[in-house]
Amino acid sequence: MMDREQAATSLMSTSVDERLEAARFFTNTAEPTDATMLMLALSKENSRWVKRALERAIGRLQVGPPKKEISEAATEEYVMDTNSDRLLKDLRAQAVDEVSRTILHEFSPLIGSLRLVAAMEFDAYETSRTKHCVERLSGLLDAVGKLKKAAATPSFNEFDLSELITECIEVLNINNENIVLRVAGIKPYMVQADRDSLGLAIDNGIRNAVEAVREFSRLNPAEILINWGPAGAENWLVILDCGPGFSGNPEEALKLGASNKDGHFGYGLATAQLSMRSMEGDVYVSNKAEGGARFELRWYRDYANIIR
């Protein structure tokens, strides 16, 4: 386990893995006195994965204008070098965590009580519009809970990605549907990531593909392909479907509340994106030329810079 002194030293290491571990240390523990050091490290960093971790660490301190103890030179280098849009997104993630925590605390008992009382006081509750509305509220609360989970501080460990994907598929329980779900990645495939965050992103990506082919499919039976593997310093996972694809600009689908499906809150892909950003990763969505959608995750591959 790295301590503050080791982390400060490791920020200047020649190893990307060590610099990333050090930057992640400060995403959880950064103090105002660390600001100049973190900005200096950011100005010299050439790995986008480490940059993102440093930006998250600085984001803990840079909620308002730069603090007085931060040197003008370091501030100038930071403004020139950092991606202000990503910093805003990281701060938005903090806001999501705070707001969702309040919503869950206040609304969970209310909706639970409403469900019980309505079932006792309404005739034919099981087939009523009241039940439909209560279940919609419950579904919204569940979506908010997933958003909060996505915004949580990640805990990195090593695990088999293929096993995680199998778990995500089994939860869907689509055995009796006219959908063929194929997997084509390396087995086993060990990765370093936050298992819960990555699982949340994968789960939302698969669910989005399943819902898309239920709506429309170019193939009969409908097919969904999940593939994964290494690419340089990155791990990647891609989900391809044969559905209708994204309407308009696919990037819009990543925005919170964006959905063209009836009865959906539009939190799924936004949750996936927030999950990946919590561990410096990326989500890419696009339409395939032959029809259907492409959903891709990318995140840092530990030890990729070591020659073996």
Side-chain angles (χ1 to χ4, degrees):
M1 188 71 174
M2 191 173 276
D3 60 30
R4 181 170 293 275
E5 185 177 348
Q6 290 171 327
T9 301
S10 295
L11 282 178
M12 298 301 146
S13 170
T14 56
S15 165
V16 176
D17 296 328
E18 289 183 11
R19 297 200 306 275
L20 182 57
E21 183 181 2
R24 285 172 174 170
F25 174 88
F26 285 109
T27 62
N28 300 322
T29 63
E31 299 175 355
T33 53
D34 299 320
T36 299
M37 173 186 65
L38 293 173
M39 288 181 176
L40 181 61
L42 179 61
S43 70
K44 298 178 181 299
E45 185 54 59
N46 55 18
S47 166
R48 65 178 175 137
W49 307 106
V50 182
K51 281 184 177 182
R52 290 177 182 182
L54 287 169
E55 287 166 3
R56 288 178 58 226
I58 293 169
R60 287 174 55 89
L61 313 173
Q62 287 286 113
V63 178
K67 305 290 189 297
K68 291 182 179 180
E69 63 266 26
I70 301 174
S71 69
E72 291 184 7
T75 302
E76 183 179 354
E77 286 179 316
Y78 172 70
V79 171
M80 291 174 60
D81 219 54
T82 193
N83 185 326
S84 59
D85 181 57
R86 177 163 291 276
L87 178 57
L88 287 173
K89 289 170 181 173
D90 287 337
L91 294 176
R92 191 179 300 137
Q94 295 176 26
V96 166
D97 181 65
E98 292 294 330
V99 173
S100 59
R101 185 185 300 117
T102 301
I103 290 174
L104 290 170
H105 177 73
E106 298 294 337
F107 281 76
S108 288
L110 284 175
I111 293 175
S113 298
L114 178 61
R115 181 185 283 114
L116 291 172
V117 171
M120 291 187 293
E121 295 185 349
F122 283 80
D123 293 332
Y125 172 72
E126 289 301 317
T127 57
S128 68
R129 294 177 61 186
T130 300
K131 180 181 179 181
H132 174 73
C133 292
V134 171
E135 294 307 316
R136 284 277 291 166
L137 278 172
S138 182
L140 177 59
L141 201 66
D142 181 61
V144 171
K146 289 180 178 178
L147 269 180
K148 182 183 184 305
K149 185 177 179 182
T153 301
S155 176
F156 294 89
N157 51 77
E158 188 172 59
F159 58 90
D160 181 2
L161 177 62
S162 64
E163 286 187 358
L164 176 60
I165 292 167
T166 298
E167 291 175 16
C168 291
I169 293 172
E170 288 176 347
V171 169
L172 286 175
N173 193 24
I174 58 171
N175 296 330
N176 298 323
E177 298 190 47
N178 194 33
I179 300 173
V180 177
L181 211 159
R182 306 184 189 281
V183 293
I186 302 167
K187 296 181 180 181
Y189 186 67
M190 305 306 293
V191 298
Q192 281 274 351
D194 182 293
R195 199 176 193 278
D196 289 342
S197 294
L198 187 57
L200 196 56
I202 294 171
D203 178 72
N204 278 287
I206 297 175
R207 287 179 185 276
N208 190 72
V210 169
E211 290 167 0
V213 299
R214 281 173 179 162
E215 178 185 335
F216 168 82
S217 173
R218 294 183 299 103
L219 304 175
N220 187 17
E223 292 187 3
I224 297 171
L225 174 67
I226 307 175
N227 199 3
W228 62 87
E234 298 178 331
N235 293 301
W236 58 268
L237 178 144
V238 66
I239 301 171
L240 306 174
D241 69 52
C242 59
F246 296 101
S247 61
N249 180 3
E251 292 293 324
E252 293 294 312
L254 295 174
K255 292 184 177 180
L256 189 62
S259 177
N260 57 5
K261 300 186 181 81
D262 291 337
H264 285 257
F265 299 110
Y267 281 23
L269 294 182
T271 297
Q273 185 183 60
L274 193 56
S275 293
M276 295 305 294
R277 282 184 179 152
S278 75
M279 54 183 212
E280 300 97 40
D282 278 316
V283 177
Y284 300 98
V285 292
S286 60
N287 287 321
K288 297 168 10 190
E290 66 274 24
R294 176 188 179 93
F295 171 91
E296 183 175 4
L297 306 178
R298 286 186 176 263
W299 69 102
Y300 180 70
R301 184 161 72 96
D302 287 55
Y303 316 119
N305 61 315
I306 298 176
I307 299 174
R308 292 187 267 192

